[in-house]
Amino acid sequence: MNASDDRSAAGREGLNRPLGETSDDRSAAGREGLNRPLGETSDDRSAAGREGPDRPRQAHRPIVEARGIHKHFGPLHVLRGVDLVVAERELVFVIGPSGSGKSTLLRCLNRLEEPSSGSVMVDGIDLLDRRTDLNAARQRIGMVFQSFNLYPHMTALGNVALALRKVQGKARAEAEARAMAALERVHLADRAGHYPGQLSGGQQQRVAIARAIALEPRVMLFDEPTSALDPELVGGVLQAMRELREGGMTMVVVSHEMGFARAAADRVVFMADGAVVEEGPPAQVFGAPREARTRAFLGQVERA
């Protein structure tokens, strides 16, 4: 991946302008941040910008509230009464050994997996209520998977614009304008006309991120977004995620990128055997874990 090529177009256009913005709007709106929640004021933004990753953020209302989540696959009890509450603008990193239920929990948050019991509220919507319009609710929840899931016969621009046209009913011109803005935000405007086979793995994953943020979700879920990438391609994806975080996007990330968790997370949740064992600020979880199971896991990670 040629990082300088990736950055060239986006750098000229300005990374932090909202989706669908015109050239006349860029100078003022571009300074406002790329992912501010709906209804946020300029005072909110200036305060949030001062918080930064190394100091506590303001208290915000919960966006995600999962309570008492159990999940069975036949006789296998994968999730055992998991609680997870994520505040607006918070970045929560979920870590733990393979098979601990991290990805299953993430998929329960948008009902890609059906919880066996418990409750899930996202942005005030009860996802487990049978009356809930899941297609509408999922537009508030962006998700990026380990696999890119791009259509090989469509360009990067076409992949990003597709959901805007099919899900939100946007006209082609508006969908493509918003898709191009999303690609600019992940430094891929100059690859808009490329097909997935012409892109590196890291670039394809950034197209997948652009596809998710183009729908302007209230929360982003990342399920091992870098695990399928060669090490030299990971940096571009993490940079895109870091810029989303700096713009105020609410994020729940399942990943083994411990360095990113230390630097960017507001809170780290450690899971094992289908349950939350420990959670807290990165400095506490990584620097002075309370639980023996957490210490054992981090020790293994450090020795790997």
Side-chain angles (χ1 to χ4, degrees):
M1 179 179 64
N2 189 324
S4 61
D5 290 343
D6 289 345
R7 290 194 297 266
S8 60
R12 291 191 299 270
E13 294 296 327
L15 172 66
N16 292 324
R17 61 188 179 89
L19 290 175
E21 177 190 29
T22 67
S23 58
D24 291 336
D25 296 330
R26 283 200 298 269
S27 61
R31 292 189 295 270
E32 294 180 350
L34 65 159
N35 285 311
R36 59 184 177 90
L38 296 174
E40 181 185 25
T41 67
S42 58
D43 290 342
D44 293 335
R45 291 195 299 276
S46 61
R50 291 191 298 270
E51 289 161 5
D54 297 323
R55 66 188 69 181
R57 291 184 165 199
Q58 293 177 344
H60 292 280
R61 71 179 182 89
I63 286 286
V64 176
E65 295 181 82
R67 305 283 187 182
I69 300 298
H70 288 263
K71 177 63 182 177
H72 297 265
F73 291 106
L76 189 61
H77 197 176
V78 177
L79 295 177
R80 301 170 179 269
V82 174
D83 294 334
L84 180 67
V85 178
V86 182
E88 190 174 32
R89 305 179 66 90
E90 189 179 22
L91 192 164
V92 175
F93 222 93
V94 184
I95 64 173
S98 297
S100 60
K102 306 182 301 296
S103 292
T104 300
L105 173 62
L106 208 65
R107 294 169 69 88
C108 283
L109 296 182
N110 63 0
R111 267 184 68 185
L112 287 177
E113 293 289 354
E114 195 77 20
S116 302
S117 63
S119 65
V120 179
M121 301 284 291
V122 176
D123 200 22
I125 297 173
D126 184 352
L127 288 190
L128 302 188
D129 189 328
R130 296 300 175 181
R131 298 167 295 181
T132 295
D133 182 344
L134 270 183
N135 288 331
R138 283 174 176 158
Q139 293 181 48
R140 300 169 182 250
I141 311 167
M143 188 156 187
V144 176
F145 301 89
Q146 176 179 337
S147 56
F148 320 128
N149 298 319
L150 301 179
Y151 289 106
H153 64 287
M154 301 180 71
T155 64
L157 183 67
N159 270 280
V160 176
L162 183 64
L164 291 165
R165 295 176 58 202
K166 299 300 184 183
V167 176
Q168 295 190 344
K170 304 296 184 185
R172 180 184 293 272
E174 181 182 358
E176 290 186 350
R178 289 180 58 177
M180 181 61 77
L183 288 170
E184 289 174 354
R185 285 160 57 177
V186 296
H187 304 286
L188 283 177
D190 59 343
R191 300 292 193 271
H194 288 57
Y195 291 89
Q198 299 171 309
L199 301 173
S200 71
Q203 289 170 333
Q204 290 184 63
Q205 189 63 293
R206 282 188 282 151
V207 172
I209 294 173
R211 177 179 57 194
I213 64 176
L215 296 174
E216 298 184 331
R218 300 287 281 124
V219 59
M220 285 284 293
L221 310 178
F222 291 86
D223 188 8
E224 299 282 5
T226 62
S227 61
L229 302 178
D230 292 334
E232 64 269 22
L233 302 178
V234 168
V237 174
L238 295 183
Q239 180 62 25
M241 294 172 64
R242 186 175 293 108
E243 289 166 357
L244 286 174
R245 185 251 189 256
E246 290 170 355
M249 176 64 77
T250 304
M251 301 166 67
V252 183
V253 181
V254 169
S255 177
H256 294 289
E257 296 290 342
M258 300 299 172
F260 182 65
R262 286 175 182 267
D266 296 297
R267 181 159 46 101
V268 175
V269 175
F270 173 66
M271 290 184 64
D273 303 318
V276 172
V277 175
E278 182 169 354
E279 62 180 294
Q284 179 259 302
V285 173
F286 289 113
R290 296 185 298 267
E291 303 295 331
R293 185 68 182 87
T294 313
R295 292 193 293 271
F297 170 76
L298 293 175
Q300 291 177 339
V301 170
E302 291 175 358
R303 291 191 294 270

